[in-house]
Each structure stands twice: as structure tokens, then as C-alpha cells.
Amino acid sequence: MMKRIFWLTICLTTVAAGIAQTQQGVVKTRGKMINGQLKPGTGLSGATVSIQGRTTILTRDNGVFSFPVTNKTFQVQGVQKQGYQLLDADATRKTYQYSPNTLYLIMETPGQQAEDKLAAERKIRRTLQRQLQQREDELEELKEQNKLTQEEYHRRLQQLYNDQQNNEKLISEMAQRYAELDYDQLDELNRQISDAILNGELARADSLLRSKGDIRQRAAELRQHEQANEQVRRDLEKSEALARQRRDDLARDCYNRFELCKMNGQFDSATYYITLRAQVDTLHIGYMIDAARHLNFLNFKRDAARYWMKAFYSLFGKSEEEKRKYTYSALDLLNAYTGAAQCVFQLADHETGIKIFEVILDAVIQTRDGFEASTTAWSVYNFSVVRLKKQLASMYLDAKHYDDCERLCNELPTAFRPYYSNDSTGWLSTLASIRSLQGILYKQTKRYRESETMYQEAIAIRRRLAIANPQLYEDMLAVTLTNLANLYSKTHRYDESEAMYQEALAISRRLAQQNPQAYLPDVALTQYNIALLKTSQKQYAEALAPYEEALDIYRRLTKVDPTNQQLYEDVMAQLSITYTNVGDYASSSRIYNERLPLLKAKYEAESDKWRQKYAAALGSQAFNIIFLGQFAEAEQLAREALAIDSTQHFIIPNLAAALLFQGQYEQAEQLYRQYKDELKSGFLDDFRRYAEAGIIRKEYEADVEKIKRMLNE
């Protein structure tokens, strides 16, 4: 079954983007101001960043890193780089919000950090000392002008010295802040202000600050702006309340119209109104669930899938309160998740599909609180989780995540067992499907004995089920028999392989009599497998009949279902070669006449891709028709083939023979002589075949003998 569908790929990409937004970050040294100019920090490559719940991330050459954020928040658990330490110790204790802006993590060597802090302390201390000297001078001048009494002078001077002692804490705190300040993250004006304060250029800092406007006036303007925003918010809330009322009323009318149309059997109109309701209120996940259920009921699987995915995307990242607000019940929430999971399982087989499925499964697990109160609901919930794990195991197998697949497969029998009574058909069917999945897993990982054991167990169960209900279980029995037959063929147990194929074929034939559209492809594929089995044992004559039946079925199926086209062409390729191997060149030519127009169309559309295959087919047909006495036509085909791909020298003997048998001895002799060293055995073998087929005319027998003598010289 073709799983990749364009619209779902777009949907999955959208969901994946919503599920895992990428947070950008950089680990760097801090930017500094040197002589009034910015010296940017340096990105640190090879630093490790640990994000809670994720594997460790390694920074690239420029210190850049990124990681997907599946929730709105994340935590940095640690940042490490040999010889460096994180400047902001609180960075590993914060909860960050996802942001399109870059996350900066600043590190320095301990020595550099100590040096930066000491330099900042020295600058701040010098500034405070200058201020102390200035104030001492001011007090001295006031005293000399008799504006201060001796007692007041001493009191103020003592207060000044006391303040200076208290400044030690100020110096340490300011120095620490400036030693950690990353000037890269400031705009130019704020860089200059901070640099001026640190260097004691207080008048300049004051001037720069004033250039931004009066702070009190700016604060008043901000309050006015916030008040205006608040009024806008109040007006918007009133407008939204009115819109919500109209939306709810319209949604009710859509649903009433939906039920009315459904009761009248007007399902197209019913579909319109139930989907319109989902479009009217895109926040209400319950409306999307209703639309998905109705579309699924009408067997519009793809449209239903779209609404399941929309429901899941809308639910993702919302709080439990929001989820309950926009769904009808915990069961509806579960249905939205499992419906989305089913879409991904059925219609996607790539890595993005697995990632989304894993996120959905995790979301389902987190809904358990809504089910624990009821025994029945709790059973429904747990069974849904187990069933999703089984589907995920199958997706892991398709993507060759073998360890993950095996881990889940080993858990599944125990996980499923509580939901079935002993030897119930549900339990046996589930167990058989798990064993079959394990059979495929072990075969793909070349654990053939374990694979055989799993297949045999699955077959034994499905035989038992098929006896009780053949209509329901025989098709899966045939599938498992085919899988075991493939395993036996791969391990060269040909008799056992054929026995399995024949049993599967008998089942498929019976089923095809009742439902040809569904089961004729199985008949064709099984016959193809049997023919390939015969071919691998060089039983070419016995392979012809199954090849012919498979080709006849695929020829008819391809006209109504293009997905069979490749198998149709594969069977033709194998059958034509098999006819050549048994010496039936007329039948081989017949098949090539059917196959060549298809290859030509592909070659004309994509020359580079199909050049070799098309040329080889032309050359092979040239060989066939030589035996039919069509020498001029064979020459034409061989020349066309070599013009397309001159590297395929197996065509040279066909061209040489076609020329020789038309009496063009000199041209033929030139080719035989030119390629004598490379193709001698092929030339001589072809002459043997031509003699056995009796196609060498009497007038050319002497020429053939001359060529053979030349080749043997």
C-alpha cells in the first residue's frame, strides 16, 4: 500500500513544526568595552549543553546550538566546557520560555573572570575615592568660609568616612555585575552608558541618560500607553464576547442542520454543515472530533484524517483545563489522540511520522487522570495505550529501528493479555499478529531460526482461527504462509518454501473467486514468488506458467490501478529472460515487444536514469529476433542500443551476427576481430546456439567457419 500522501505530508510537517519548535542558542564569552569600543565575545565550540529531558547537545564551531522544544518551556540543566565556567549560576535554575530570539549562555575562564572583576573593582574604587576627595574638599572649603562649625565639620566628615566603609559592599556587588555583563546583548547607547558609569565618567553617563528623555515624563507616558492598552483590551473583550455568542449560536444551528440532513439521508449536506461548524469555531476540538467521526463513518478516510490531525494539533501544548474546556469528555480527548495516531500509522512511514506518533503516545499516557475513576473507562484507556504501542512497534520496524521494535514486541503479549479471556479469538488474533511482526523483525535482522519459530507460531494460531471463521482469518493466514515461504527461499529450503507458497496460493484463489478486486493481486504475487523460486533453482520450464499467470493478472490490474505497474514490468523482465533460457525466442520476443514501449517512454522522460536498462532491453530483443531470422531488424535494434549506451558490449555479438547473416562479411569480421580478446567465448557460444537452432544459412556456413578460425588463432 502506498502510504505517502501529499496533503498529509504537509499536515504532518505543520504538526511537527508546532510540536517541536527549534530554540536557537549560543555559548560564548562575554562582550566587553575596551577604550569605549565593543569587543564582541567569542563563540565556544565543543561546549556541552544539557537540556532537561533531552540528550546532551554539542556546540558547533561558532558556539551555536539548537534543540526542539516540545512544550512552551524548557530548563538548562548544565553547560560545560573544559577550562570555562558559567557566569550566571542561575542559568541552570531558571525555567525558560521558548523564544524566536537566541538564548545566550555566557562562560569565562576562572582566571579571566577574576581579572575582569578585579579590574571593575579598581575602576569603581577609584571613582569612589575621587568622590571622597571632592567631598572632603567641599567640607574643608565650607569650614574655611565659616559656613560650618567645627563640630558640624567633624560630624559630616565622620559620616563621610562611615559611608565610605559601607561602600565596600557596593563595590563588590557592582564589580560582580560588570564582570558578568555581556555588552553584546546591549544596544550601542546602553553600552556607552554602562561603560561610562564603570569608568567613573558620571557626567557623561548622566548626559547619555538624559538624551533618552526625562525618566519621569517617560514613566508617565508609559502609564498613559498602558491605560490606553487596557481600554483597547476591554473593548476587545466586549467584541470577543459578542463574537463568541454569535459563534456559539451559529455552531448550534450548524449542528441542528447537520442532524436534520442526516435524518433525511442528505449525507453530502450533513457533511457540509458538520465541517462548517468545525471551521466556525477552530478552538473547539470537540467540533473537529465530530467532523472526523462523521467523515470516517462515510469512509472518507483522508478527510477524516485531516480533522483528527487538526484536533491533535489544537490540543497539543494546552493545559488540562483548556483541554477539558474544548472537548466533551476525557474519552473524546482520548479519541482525538488515537484518531490522529491512526492517521499517522496508516498514511506515513517516515521519521517525522514516528516522532509525531511518539509525541501522541506520550500525550495519551498523560491523559490517564481522566480515566482512573471508572473501571470500564480505565480499561478502555489502557487498551488504547497498548494498541498504540503495537502500531508504534510496526512503525519502528518499517523505519528499521530494530531495537525499539523488539523492546515493544517483547512487552506487548503481557500488556495485551489482561484484556482477553483465555483462548478467545481476540487474544489469539492479537498474539498471532505480534508473532508475525516478530517474524519479520528477526528475518530482517538475520536471526532466521527465531524468525521461523515466530512465523510457525503465528501460522498455527491462524490455521486454528481460519477453521472457525475462514472468511475473517484466511487472508492473514495466507500472508503469514507467504512470509515463511520467503524465509525458506532465502535460506535455500526450496521444497518447504514451495509448499508454503502453494498453500497460500490455494487460499488466495478461493478468496479471489468471491472478491477478485481484493485478492487477485495476492494470486499474482504468489505466482510471481513461485516462479522466482523455480528460477533460482534453474527450473526455467516450470517457472513459465506461474510467470504467465502473474503477468496476465498484472496486465489487467494495471489498467485500473497504476500502483501495480512496477510489478507488471518486473514480471515481464523475468519472463522474457526465462523464455530465452529455455530457447523459446519467439515468446521472449513477444514479451519484449510488450515491454519496450514502456521502457522507451521512461527513457525519453528521464534519459540518464533509464539509459542502461532501455539499451539492454533493445540489445536482448536483437538477440531474440536473430533466431527468428529477422537479421535486418536485429541490426537496427543493436545499433540503436549501442547509440544509447555504447558501454554494453554484450550487444556487440548480436550486431556482428546480424551483419554476418546478411552477407556483410567485412563489417562483421571487423567487429569480431576488434572484440576478439574481450568477447571470444561469447562469440563462440552464440555460434553454437545458432547452429543448434538451425538458423545459419548454407551460403554463410563458410563465413562462420572463417570467423571461428580467426577467433581461435
Side-chain angles (χ1 to χ4, degrees):
M1 179 180 68
M2 291 187 64
K3 289 187 174 182
R4 287 186 175 87
I5 296 177
F6 179 72
W7 71 262
L8 187 73
T9 302
I10 296 174
C11 188
L12 289 175
T13 302
T14 303
V15 172
I19 290 172
Q21 299 176 10
T22 300
Q23 177 67 55
Q24 302 292 335
V26 63
V27 178
K28 60 183 285 294
T29 59
R30 73 185 191 92
K32 302 175 184 180
M33 295 294 285
I34 307 295
N35 298 325
Q37 299 296 318
L38 174 67
K39 180 184 177 183
T42 303
L44 297 176
S45 64
T48 56
V49 182
S50 300
I51 306 297
Q52 187 177 37
R54 300 198 61 82
T55 55
T56 299
I57 306 162
L58 196 66
T59 61
R60 298 191 285 275
D61 290 345
N62 53 1
V64 171
F65 65 95
S66 62
F67 57 93
V69 180
T70 53
N71 293 312
K72 294 179 180 178
T73 61
F74 61 92
Q75 288 184 313
V76 178
Q77 290 186 315
V79 186
Q80 294 183 341
K81 166 76 175 174
Q82 187 173 6
Y84 288 81
Q85 62 186 25
L86 198 61
L87 289 188
D88 182 6
D90 289 337
T92 57
R93 294 190 284 268
K94 297 177 184 176
T95 297
Y96 295 90
Q97 293 280 339
Y98 163 77
S99 171
N101 298 324
T102 301
L103 169 66
Y104 289 96
L105 298 171
I106 313 302
M107 303 188 83
E108 283 288 4
T109 64
Q112 184 63 54
Q113 187 178 2
E115 183 179 330
D116 289 345
K117 184 178 179 183
L118 187 61
E121 283 184 357
R122 188 161 50 247
K123 290 179 179 180
I124 295 167
R125 196 177 298 280
R126 285 175 180 173
T127 298
L128 293 177
Q129 286 173 348
R130 286 197 303 271
Q131 289 181 320
L132 175 63
Q133 182 65 50
Q134 181 180 347
R135 289 173 185 170
E136 284 178 335
D137 292 345
E138 288 174 354
L139 289 175
E140 188 69 30
E141 184 178 350
L142 289 172
K143 176 188 169 188
E144 289 176 357
Q145 294 174 357
N146 294 319
K147 292 182 179 180
L148 288 178
T149 64
Q150 187 71 18
E151 181 180 355
E152 182 66 17
Y153 169 73
H154 285 297
R155 187 184 67 77
R156 289 195 183 186
L157 196 61
Q158 186 61 48
Q159 182 64 45
L160 188 61
Y161 293 149
N162 289 341
D163 290 343
Q164 186 68 11
Q165 289 178 351
N166 293 333
N167 281 342
E168 287 302 317
K169 183 178 180 182
L170 171 66
I171 292 170
S172 178
E173 289 177 349
M174 283 187 67
Q176 184 69 35
R177 187 173 75 83
Y178 278 100
E180 294 176 353
L181 181 61
D182 181 19
Y183 284 90
D184 288 336
Q185 298 182 59
L186 302 179
D187 61 38
E188 182 58 30
L189 183 54
N190 282 306
R191 284 191 198 116
Q192 295 299 329
I193 292 171
S194 294
D195 189 51
I197 292 173
L198 178 61
N199 287 290
E201 301 172 12
L202 304 185
R204 177 168 171 263
D206 180 65
S207 175
L208 290 171
L209 274 170
R210 289 181 183 279
S211 72
K212 298 174 75 172
D214 183 85
I215 289 179
R216 286 173 294 184
Q217 182 179 349
R218 288 163 61 196
E221 290 172 352
L222 176 61
R223 284 193 294 271
Q224 291 175 0
H225 187 80
E226 289 175 340
Q227 289 170 0
N229 283 348
E230 183 60 31
Q231 183 60 48
V232 170
R233 278 193 290 271
R234 285 194 295 268
D235 293 342
L236 182 60
E237 285 176 0
K238 291 179 182 178
S239 177
E240 286 180 342
L242 178 60
R244 186 162 51 249
Q245 181 181 355
R246 296 178 63 184
R247 184 167 56 244
D248 291 345
D249 187 55
L250 180 57
R252 278 191 296 270
D253 288 348
C254 282
Y255 192 74
N256 289 334
R257 180 62 66 181
F258 159 73
E259 290 197 319
L260 181 61
C261 292
K262 191 168 63 170
M263 292 295 288
N264 285 326
Q266 300 169 328
F267 291 108
D268 287 346
S269 296
T271 300
Y272 171 79
Y273 288 112
I274 197 65
T275 54
L276 178 61
R277 185 177 72 150
Q279 295 163 17
V280 163
D281 191 349
T282 56
L283 290 178
H284 204 302
I285 291 94
Y287 293 172
M288 296 182 197
I289 294 171
D290 285 342
R293 283 174 172 165
H294 175 71
L295 290 164
N296 192 64
F297 169 75
L298 295 179
N299 208 32
F300 297 151
K301 302 295 184 183
R302 297 181 186 180
D303 293 325
R306 186 180 294 112
Y307 279 97
W308 283 128
M309 294 304 297
K310 285 181 178 180
F312 166 68
Y313 181 64
S314 299
L315 284 166
F316 190 83
K318 286 187 169 56
S319 67
E320 291 303 315
E321 182 180 352
E322 289 176 305
K323 290 174 184 177
R324 295 290 184 266
K325 178 180 179 182
Y326 292 112
T327 54
Y328 303 131
S329 64
L331 184 59
D332 283 304
L333 188 61
L334 179 63
N335 286 338
Y337 285 141
T338 54
Q342 191 67 20
C343 297
V344 176
F345 175 72
Q346 291 179 338
L347 303 174
D349 59 357
H350 42 65
E351 294 294 335
T352 301
I354 288 177
K355 290 175 183 176
I356 295 175
F357 199 97
E358 288 174 334
V359 172
I360 294 172
L361 178 57
D362 183 61
V364 170
I365 292 171
Q366 292 178 24
T367 64
R368 60 178 295 159
D369 293 344
F371 294 91
E372 289 178 331
S374 166
T375 303
T376 302
W378 182 240
S379 179
V380 169
Y381 164 79
N382 278 297
F383 185 74
S384 297
V385 171
V386 176
R387 188 170 53 190
L388 288 174
K389 287 183 177 179
K390 181 171 178 289
Q391 292 175 331
L392 181 57
S394 181
M395 294 180 73
Y396 281 145
L397 180 62
D398 287 344
K400 295 182 172 56
H401 295 191
Y402 296 127
D403 290 342
D404 291 325
C405 178
E406 184 169 9
R407 171 179 53 80
L408 282 180
C409 284
N410 289 336
E411 296 173 3
L412 287 172
T414 303
F416 270 112
R417 195 67 187 89
Y419 303 103
Y420 298 106
S421 59
N422 289 334
D423 291 338
S424 67
T425 55
W427 163 245
L428 292 174
S429 178
T430 299
L431 182 60
S433 65
I434 295 170
R435 295 301 184 228
S436 183
L437 187 64
Q438 288 174 298
I440 299 170
L441 167 66
Y442 294 142
K443 181 190 173 187
Q444 290 186 9
T445 53
K446 299 182 179 180
R447 295 153 67 179
Y448 298 130
R449 289 187 179 179
E450 293 169 90
S451 176
E452 180 182 3
T453 299
M454 293 297 104
Y455 280 141
Q456 287 176 336
E457 186 174 341
I459 287 171
I461 295 171
R462 284 175 170 161
R463 285 193 203 281
R464 180 177 169 185
L465 292 170
I467 291 172
N469 192 339
Q471 187 174 3
L472 190 59
Y473 294 107
E474 270 197 328
D475 59 340
M476 290 310 300
L477 173 58
V479 169
T480 317
L481 288 165
T482 299
N483 287 339
L484 182 55
N486 291 338
L487 175 65
Y488 284 149
S489 176
K490 187 175 184 64
T491 53
H492 309 296
R493 295 162 65 177
Y494 299 122
D495 290 343
E496 293 165 281
S497 177
E498 184 172 359
M500 295 293 103
Y501 280 138
Q502 292 293 352
E503 185 177 353
L505 179 61
I507 293 171
S508 297
R509 285 196 192 283
R510 285 199 302 273
L511 295 172
Q513 289 176 354
Q514 302 168 6
N515 190 345
Q517 185 176 359
Y519 294 106
L520 269 179
D522 293 340
V523 173
L525 184 58
T526 307
Q527 285 288 57
Y528 185 33
N529 284 329
I530 292 172
L532 289 172
L533 183 68
K534 297 292 186 183
T535 301
S536 67
Q537 300 173 79
K538 298 186 178 181
Q539 298 174 5
Y540 301 121
E542 292 85 348
L544 292 173
Y547 273 138
E548 282 285 11
E549 183 177 2
L551 180 60
D552 180 62
I553 294 172
Y554 282 130
R555 186 184 289 121
R556 287 181 281 128
L557 290 175
T558 301
K559 293 178 181 178
V560 295
D561 184 0
T563 61
N564 293 289
Q565 180 72 33
Q566 189 58 56
L567 281 168
Y568 167 49
E569 295 184 28
D570 290 345
V571 174
M572 275 196 291
Q574 292 292 336
L575 180 55
S576 59
I577 294 170
T578 305
Y579 273 126
T580 300
N581 287 333
V582 298
D584 187 348
Y585 303 107
S587 294
S588 180
S589 175
R590 169 175 56 83
I591 301 301
Y592 271 111
N593 283 334
E594 184 175 353
R595 185 179 172 220
L596 280 170
L598 302 176
L599 285 174
K600 183 178 181 180
K602 290 182 176 181
Y603 169 69
E604 290 175 346
E606 297 179 87
S607 299
D608 290 340
K609 181 177 179 181
W610 292 96
R611 182 184 313 280
Q612 187 176 21
K613 188 167 286 189
Y614 181 48
L618 288 169
S620 297
Q621 180 67 327
F623 179 74
N624 284 327
I625 63 176
I626 286 173
F627 287 90
L628 304 181
Q630 300 172 15
F631 305 127
E633 293 85 346
E635 177 191 352
Q636 181 181 349
L637 288 176
R639 290 191 185 281
E640 183 181 354
L642 289 169
I644 292 171
D645 186 356
S646 61
T647 67
Q648 300 206 51
H649 287 184
F650 85 91
I651 303 170
I652 300 294
N654 303 334
L655 176 58
L659 291 169
L660 184 63
F661 296 154
Q662 293 180 80
Q664 301 177 39
Y665 178 83
E666 290 182 358
Q667 293 184 49
E669 193 265 348
Q670 183 180 355
L671 286 173
Y672 282 120
R673 190 174 294 279
Q674 180 180 351
Y675 291 96
K676 170 183 173 181
D677 294 337
E678 178 186 348
L679 302 174
K680 173 183 174 180
S681 61
F683 288 143
L684 293 173
D685 188 57
D686 283 352
F687 282 136
R688 178 186 58 78
R689 291 191 182 197
Y690 300 148
E692 291 174 354
I695 65 166
I696 304 176
R697 296 177 186 172
K698 207 167 192 62
E699 62 265 34
Y700 300 130
E701 288 179 355
D703 291 342
V704 170
E705 290 304 316
K706 284 171 61 178
I707 295 294
K708 287 166 70 175
R709 283 196 299 273
M710 181 271 294
L711 291 172
N712 285 314
E713 288 175 353

